[in-house]
Amino acid sequence: MKDPYLTQILGLLAAGMTSTALAVSGYLHQPETFRFLGTQLTYQAAYRKIPLSLVGTGLCVSAWLLTQTRRDYRRQYEEWERQTLLKQGQLQSIAHHAELEGYQQVAQLQAAERLYPQMAPYRPFN
């Protein structure tokens, strides 16, 4: 059976790994210039590493949590299914024993009816 959440898990992992790879790559270490009030500021673009790294980590953790949730639901479903099959088996066993008990009572009544005329001479008088 194919897991319906497999594409979501793989998508989250791919996006997380991509953003983490971008955060680690040298691309984000290039200097950037910024003009503010006539002043030109040059700084390293490494500040972009932190949010991108956090996003990547968040996506990977989300994929892991989704996987764990699916595994827990699967366990719960299998346990419920096992309990249901066990209860059905017990109910069938009870029904079978009740049916056998009914057959035994019918057999006893038939035997008593069959043997009644033979036991008539030995019955006490009313």
Side-chain angles (χ1 to χ4, degrees):
M1 181 171 112
K2 184 179 178 186
D3 188 2
Y5 291 95
L6 184 62
T7 54
Q8 288 179 351
I9 292 169
L10 291 177
L12 285 169
L13 281 174
M17 296 302 284
T18 302
S19 62
T20 303
L22 284 175
V24 172
S25 73
Y27 170 74
L28 297 177
H29 295 287
Q30 298 172 355
E32 238 179 47
T33 52
F34 181 75
R35 295 182 79 68
F36 182 71
L37 299 174
T39 307
Q40 182 175 351
L41 300 171
T42 303
Y43 57 94
Q44 293 289 337
Y47 71 94
R48 282 190 261 171
K49 286 177 70 174
I50 296 170
L52 199 55
S53 178
L54 289 175
V55 166
T57 303
L59 290 171
C60 289
V61 167
S62 297
W64 180 76
L65 289 174
L66 186 58
T67 303
Q68 297 303 313
T69 301
R70 292 299 302 152
R71 189 185 69 197
D72 291 343
Y73 284 154
R74 171 72 59 192
R75 279 189 193 150
Q76 289 174 358
Y77 175 75
E78 288 172 353
E79 179 64 23
W80 173 81
E81 192 174 43
R82 189 180 69 74
Q83 290 292 333
T84 302
L85 290 174
L86 184 65
K87 286 179 185 176
Q88 286 176 351
Q90 289 173 345
L91 289 175
Q92 288 174 351
S93 176
I94 290 171
H96 180 69
H97 286 302
E99 189 175 341
L100 286 178
E101 192 70 33
Y103 284 140
Q104 287 176 352
Q105 290 178 359
V106 168
Q108 286 175 355
L109 288 174
Q110 288 174 347
E113 288 175 355
R114 191 176 60 240
L115 296 175
Y116 184 74
Q118 295 172 2
M119 299 298 289
Y122 302 106
R123 281 187 329 184
F125 294 103
N126 293 339

